Amino acid sequence: MNDNPNWERDLVEKLAMAALVEQRRARRWRIFFRLVWLVFFLVLIASLWGGKRAAERLEGSGYTALINLNGEISTENDTAEMMIEALKDAYDDTGTKGIVIRANSPGGSPVLSGIVYDEMRRLKKLHPSVPVYVVVEEMCASGCYYIASAADRIYVDKASIVGSIGVLSDGFGLTGLMEKMGVERRLQTSGANKGMGDPFSPRNPRHEAIRQEMLDAIHAQFIQAVKNGRGNRLKDDPELFSGRVWIGEKSLPLGLADGYGSVESVARDVIKSSAIVDVTPSPALPDRFVRQFGVSFADGVQSFFKTRWY
């Protein structure tokens, strides 16, 4: 039996206080989520307004359209989608006197590089009066150079990194480590080549031959694209398609580039329109968040077998 004569009142007070605390907590969460939705809508409005302002700028006349090609060429960065969108916007505006692609990329996906390359060549045929140039700043290698070879001319700095016309596929072999640790790999497949590239299985000469055949085929596609784009400007050098890189100064005599230049100098001296408008699209924050989440999940289950330009 409770010796406190006021225990009933104390119990009621405790229950009331707990209810009050719970109400305050619920109110704080409601405020938090309202703020989140407010920020979401503000960002959405800002992105739409920014797109509207960019469209208004495209209605001007006599300018150089600038497109930035930065970082790895991948689905995570939306490289192909953004490049193609920017090219179409620039070509569709009557004020565009020329297009400059500012390149700072080590390369990336051969598929995405090929998509942008093909679209650039298609759009150039539709708009022959609008030249498109690539200006290499820090680096334009592998998949980036694949794309650049579709341009009318390529300009570099004497210290830029250019080339890397090759393909690689990397991975790890962990069988020796597993043997030392006493770990046994138990892999079952339906299909003799389904486990190709598995880092926990011993090397398989047949799988390695298939893998090399794939790399050679992609490399041949890369070489042909560069030859189609650069034509007789390329010099006959055995190192040209070996996967090595050159600095800008050395790339000129090889025909990998056409001259020295910056974005400003090409706009001013080549296109003859020093007014520069950056038409590179910026994805809205909600879309980027959804994509990043999907890519992060996909990366978690991605296999060790990768093929890329760099």
Side-chain angles (χ1 to χ4, degrees):
M1 184 175 179
N2 198 325
D3 295 333
N4 184 3
N6 299 317
W7 69 271
E8 293 180 342
R9 186 180 65 184
D10 292 343
L11 179 60
V12 171
E13 288 178 352
K14 290 180 179 179
L15 291 174
M17 184 60 68
L20 181 61
V21 169
E22 186 62 31
Q23 289 176 358
R24 289 175 177 172
R25 183 181 294 112
R27 185 165 60 251
R28 284 196 296 268
W29 277 110
R30 284 197 300 271
I31 293 172
F32 171 76
F33 283 115
R34 287 171 182 171
L35 287 174
V36 169
W37 279 108
L38 177 62
V39 170
F40 173 84
F41 283 114
L42 288 175
V43 170
L44 182 61
I45 291 171
S47 64
L48 293 174
W49 178 255
K52 181 180 178 182
R53 296 296 297 173
E56 290 174 353
R57 287 193 303 172
L58 287 174
E59 293 174 359
S61 61
Y63 70 88
T64 296
L66 174 64
I67 301 173
N68 290 298
L69 173 54
N70 296 324
E72 182 183 0
I73 299 169
S74 66
T75 53
E76 182 177 354
N77 295 334
D78 295 327
T79 312
E81 180 181 346
M82 294 176 67
M83 286 287 296
I84 292 171
E85 180 183 344
L87 286 165
K88 288 180 177 178
D89 286 345
Y91 275 121
D92 288 343
D93 189 82
T94 57
T96 302
K97 301 304 179 186
I99 300 171
V100 172
I101 298 174
R102 176 162 55 195
N104 286 292
S105 170
S109 165
V111 176
L112 299 181
S113 301
I115 289 173
V116 178
Y117 172 93
D118 290 340
E119 187 65 11
M120 280 180 63
R121 288 174 63 87
R122 186 187 73 84
L123 290 171
K124 280 175 57 181
K125 289 181 180 179
L126 294 177
H127 306 274
S129 62
V130 180
V132 54
Y133 305 120
V134 168
V135 173
V136 182
E137 290 187 338
E138 296 289 343
M139 175 182 291
C140 182
S142 293
C144 179
Y145 190 80
Y146 189 118
I147 293 172
S149 64
D152 293 302
R153 293 181 205 161
I154 300 173
Y155 294 91
V156 297
D157 180 84
K158 59 183 178 296
S160 300
I161 301 298
V162 180
S164 189
I165 304 174
V167 189
L168 69 79
S169 174
D170 59 5
F172 298 93
L174 304 177
T175 52
L177 178 62
M178 293 168 58
E179 185 177 351
K180 290 181 179 180
M181 297 178 63
V183 178
E184 180 185 359
R185 173 65 162 166
R186 296 175 180 175
L187 175 66
Q188 291 179 260
T189 65
S190 178
N193 299 313
K194 185 61 178 177
M196 186 173 65
D198 177 43
F200 303 103
S201 299
R203 297 177 66 175
N204 184 315
R206 172 172 169 75
H207 290 174
E208 290 184 346
I210 294 173
R211 193 167 177 175
Q212 188 61 50
E213 181 182 353
M214 293 169 58
L215 295 177
D216 291 342
I218 297 173
H219 191 201
Q221 295 170 8
F222 191 177
I223 293 171
Q224 190 59 54
V226 173
K227 287 182 176 180
N228 290 342
R230 299 296 296 168
N232 57 13
R233 287 173 289 186
L234 292 173
K235 298 302 183 288
D236 186 13
D237 189 300
E239 290 284 287
L240 201 60
F241 303 120
S242 67
R244 67 161 290 181
V245 296
W246 289 268
I247 61 173
E249 182 181 25
K250 301 296 183 181
S251 70
L252 293 176
L254 290 170
L256 293 172
D258 301 287
Y260 296 129
S262 64
V263 171
E264 290 74 16
S265 70
V266 171
R268 180 185 64 245
D269 302 329
V270 181
I271 299 176
K272 307 297 183 182
S273 182
S274 57
I276 300 172
V277 177
D278 190 340
V279 298
T280 312
S282 299
L285 183 62
D287 293 340
R288 177 173 286 276
F289 174 79
V290 172
R291 281 194 297 269
Q292 292 288 354
F293 178 81
V295 169
S296 297
F297 178 79
D299 285 345
V301 295
Q302 185 173 280
S303 70
F304 281 83
F305 182 44
K306 296 180 181 179
T307 302
R308 56 184 186 271
W309 291 128
Y310 62 90

